[in-house]
């Protein structure tokens, strides 16, 4: 049990202290990892009691390490409750399979992460439910796609990988008017960048694999927000039935990462802004997208909704014809020339990662190295083109 009332504490304090207590047996200050598949009882009666009171019986159904993480996640977003899953996609799948009923319609953003997009296009389409897609940066398109049977709106902001920023407040008002649940995938902008629930979302979703863990060594996912909806997802147990439960060790790693989230986020954002300005000034760059750049179409909304912080992803296109190369040839050469930046997918970890997208766009998932070192590496990669 928390010794202090943390409700009015700073986010940094909440992330360290929420759900934390000394281990009652050994007084270990660091939380133990309850790395067990099952739980043992002296008597069958005790086991029955644990079952009836939703105590711990088997880790796929619940574990003290994952429950501790869920308390921290609820505190992070200011939500009533949270439920964790084995990955971000586990969270997408468990949430939608729980909340979407037969014959209902879900309206999704056209700008979703491609695995979420495939999940909606291919899996939901196979169910007795309807799915359609709208550009959520164009509210007229959204309004036209709302139907009588629309019950859920699912958006992502900023969008992966093109960094479109959606006005959560505007969408939340429309969702309310139409009696829809609004789910926001905020993986690219966790607090202290964006507080989706405060802007009116019913549920906020995260791939914990990214900034929230922050060290690139564990997969995880979570959904946070209204208690009635979280309980529906948690009991009788979509993560349990889909098998998308989080491992206790990953829960422990993610909690360890969360203790430094606010400091890391500041550094990711400072580095990303510096890199985006460098790229914008480079003669070989056609276009840069980064929501905190004044030239970006999302700049105003970023100030309003993202505390002026653009996040850790910078996307850009090279010019066609650099030294006689096509854009794609130059993209590959530039990435191959990098020394400090690693060619890899994912984001939100200490290492800076770079990848070429299908649209010939290059995405940099900016890490925590020194900004000048990163810029020097990118500069030498351009010089060698
Ligand atoms: C916006 C977004 N949502 C969800 C996911 C899926 O998360 P995970 O890889 O943890 O399943 C990702 C992964 O990159 C993502 O970028």
């Amino acid at each position: 049990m928390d010794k202090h009332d943390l409700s009015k504490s700073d986010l940094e304090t909440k992330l360290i202290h929420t759900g934390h207590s000394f281990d009652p047996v050994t007084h270990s200050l660091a939380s133990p990892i309850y790395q067990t598949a099952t739980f043992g009882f002296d008597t069958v009666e005790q086991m029955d009691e644990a079952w009836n009171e939703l105590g711990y019986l088997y880790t796929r159904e619940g574990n003290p390490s994952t429950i501790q993480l869920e308390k921290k996640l609820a505190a992070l977003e200011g939500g009533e409750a949270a439920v964790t899953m084995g990955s971000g996609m586990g969270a997408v799948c468990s949430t939608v399979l729980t909340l979407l009923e037969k014959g209902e319609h879900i309206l999704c953003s056209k700008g979703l992460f491609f695995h979420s997009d495939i999940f909606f296009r291919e899996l939901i389409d196979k169910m007795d439910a309807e799915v359609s897609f709208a550009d959520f940066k164009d509210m007229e398109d959204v309004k036209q796609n709302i139907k009588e049977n629309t019950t859920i709106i699912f958006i992502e902001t900023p969008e992966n990988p093109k960094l479109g920023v959606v006005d959560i407040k505007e969408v939340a008002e429309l969702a309310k008017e139409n009696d829809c649940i609004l789910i926001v995938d905020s993986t690219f902008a966790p607090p202290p960048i964006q507080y989706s629930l405060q802007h009116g979302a019913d549920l906020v979703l995260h791939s914990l694999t990214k900034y929230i863990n922050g060290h690139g060594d564990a997969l995880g996912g979570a959904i946070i927000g209204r208690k009635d909806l979280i309980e529906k997802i948690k009991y009788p147990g979509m993560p349990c039935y889909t098998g998308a439960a989080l491992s206790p060790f990953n829960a422990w790693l993610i909690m360890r990462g969360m203790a430094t989230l606010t400091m890391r986020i500041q550094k990711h954002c400072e580095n990303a802004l510096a890199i985006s300005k460098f790229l914008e000034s480079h003669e070989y760059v056609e276009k840069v997208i980064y929501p905190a750049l004044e030239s970006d179409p999302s700049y105003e909304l970023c100030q309003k909704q993202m505390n002026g912080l653009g996040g850790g992803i910078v996307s850009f296109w090279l010019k066609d014809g650099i030294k006689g190369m096509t854009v794609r040839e130059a993209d590959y050469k530039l990435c191959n020339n990098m020394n400090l930046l690693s060619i890899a997918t994912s984001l939100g970890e200490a290492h800076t990662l770079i990848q070429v997208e299908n649209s010939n766009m290059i995405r940099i998932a900016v890490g925590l190295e020194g900004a000048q070192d990163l810029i020097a590496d990118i500069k030498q990669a351009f010089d060698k083109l």
Side-chain angles (χ1 to χ4, degrees):
M1 210 167 66
D2 304 324
K3 271 198 295 191
H4 305 285
D5 174 14
L6 293 165
S7 57
K8 296 200 169 59
S9 299
D10 289 337
L11 182 58
E12 288 85 345
T13 314
K14 284 183 184 165
L15 294 182
I16 294 167
H17 289 276
T18 306
H20 180 265
S21 55
F22 305 138
D23 174 51
V25 178
T26 63
H27 292 255
S28 157
L29 178 73
S31 299
I33 310 170
Y34 291 92
Q35 187 67 15
T36 184
T38 195
F39 298 82
F41 303 91
D42 289 330
T43 64
V44 183
E45 286 82 358
Q46 268 184 14
M47 190 170 177
D48 284 348
E49 208 176 303
W51 175 258
N52 291 332
E53 292 180 7
L54 296 169
Y56 306 114
L57 281 184
Y58 187 65
T59 282
R60 184 158 40 72
E61 298 164 328
N63 176 289
S65 298
T66 55
I67 298 289
Q68 191 185 355
L69 172 60
E70 286 166 3
K71 288 183 183 165
K72 282 191 193 292
L73 288 164
L76 170 73
E77 286 281 8
E80 290 171 357
V83 55
T84 51
M85 326 286 176
S87 67
M89 284 313 300
V92 173
C93 173
S94 300
T95 303
V96 174
L97 291 184
T98 305
L99 300 180
L100 191 66
E101 303 284 349
K102 248 181 166 180
E104 290 181 350
H105 170 247
I106 180 166
L107 180 59
C108 299
S109 162
K110 279 182 181 167
L112 295 185
F113 165 60
F114 82 109
H115 284 162
S116 301
D117 187 80
I118 292 172
F119 168 76
F120 286 114
R121 275 179 210 278
E122 296 188 3
L123 279 171
I124 295 301
D125 216 36
K126 282 187 194 158
M127 294 169 47
D128 200 358
E130 279 179 74
V131 57
S132 51
F133 297 85
D135 177 358
F136 276 78
K137 286 151 334 275
D138 172 0
M139 287 308 284
E140 278 316 303
D141 191 30
V142 177
K143 283 178 192 158
Q144 276 170 21
N145 276 286
I146 297 216
K147 302 182 182 187
E148 277 286 292
N149 59 342
T150 309
T151 55
I152 304 179
I153 296 179
F154 191 106
I155 61 167
E156 194 174 295
T157 184
E159 297 169 338
N160 179 7
K162 290 203 177 144
L163 303 178
V165 180
V166 175
D167 191 327
I168 301 173
K169 208 163 169 217
E170 215 169 51
V171 179
E173 277 162 17
L174 191 69
K176 212 159 252 128
E177 276 166 31
N178 289 278
D179 240 344
C180 295
I181 296 167
L182 174 61
I183 305 174
V184 177
D185 181 339
S186 179
T187 296
F188 270 35
I193 304 178
Q194 179 171 285
Y195 292 84
S196 307
L197 301 176
Q198 283 179 14
H199 293 296
D202 297 290
L203 293 171
V204 57
L205 188 146
H206 285 283
S207 164
L208 304 175
T209 318
K210 317 300 184 197
Y211 297 100
I212 292 182
N213 174 43
H215 293 74
D217 49 16
L219 294 183
I223 185 101
I224 307 158
R226 269 172 51 187
K227 195 162 182 235
D228 59 324
L229 299 176
I230 296 294
E231 290 200 336
K232 222 169 155 183
I233 300 164
K234 202 169 187 172
Y235 311 114
M238 256 306 160
C240 172
Y241 299 143
T242 57
L246 182 66
S247 88
F249 184 46
N250 283 6
W252 187 88
L253 285 171
I254 293 163
M255 278 188 277
R256 188 171 66 159
M258 281 178 83
T260 55
L261 177 68
T262 56
M263 287 71 98
R264 289 188 287 101
I265 286 289
Q266 289 293 342
K267 180 69 176 153
H268 280 294
C269 294
E270 273 168 38
N271 280 359
L273 183 62
I275 289 174
S276 65
K277 285 184 175 165
F278 169 77
L279 289 170
E280 200 174 37
S281 69
H282 201 282
E283 57 174 328
Y284 289 163
V285 174
E286 176 72 33
K287 186 177 164 197
V288 181
I289 24 182
Y290 184 63
L293 271 183
E294 277 183 49
S295 57
D296 195 279
S298 303
Y299 179 77
E300 294 298 327
L301 193 48
C302 171
Q303 300 306 307
K304 199 171 77 175
Q305 180 170 287
M306 298 168 67
N307 286 314
L309 297 165
I313 306 287
V314 180
S315 296
F316 66 102
W317 282 267
L318 291 179
K319 285 187 178 154
D320 195 15
I322 302 167
K323 307 223 166 127
M325 286 182 281
T326 63
V327 176
R328 197 138 189 97
E329 284 166 345
D331 281 350
Y332 276 53
K333 196 153 184 217
L334 184 78
C335 293
N336 290 340
N337 285 346
M338 300 286 174
N339 296 320
L340 266 185
L341 280 71
S342 303
I343 299 169
T345 192
S346 202
L347 55 126
E349 55 186 80
H351 286 81
T352 297
L353 314 178
I354 190 163
Q355 71 183 106
V356 180
E357 301 282 343
N358 287 338
S359 57
N360 288 342
M361 191 187 81
I362 299 179
R363 188 186 88 172
I364 302 182
V366 180
L368 301 174
E369 301 94 333
Q372 291 316 313
D373 294 327
L374 292 172
I375 289 171
D377 193 40
I378 299 168
K379 185 175 177 314
Q380 69 76 33
F382 272 115
D383 292 347
K384 278 205 269 172
L385 275 181

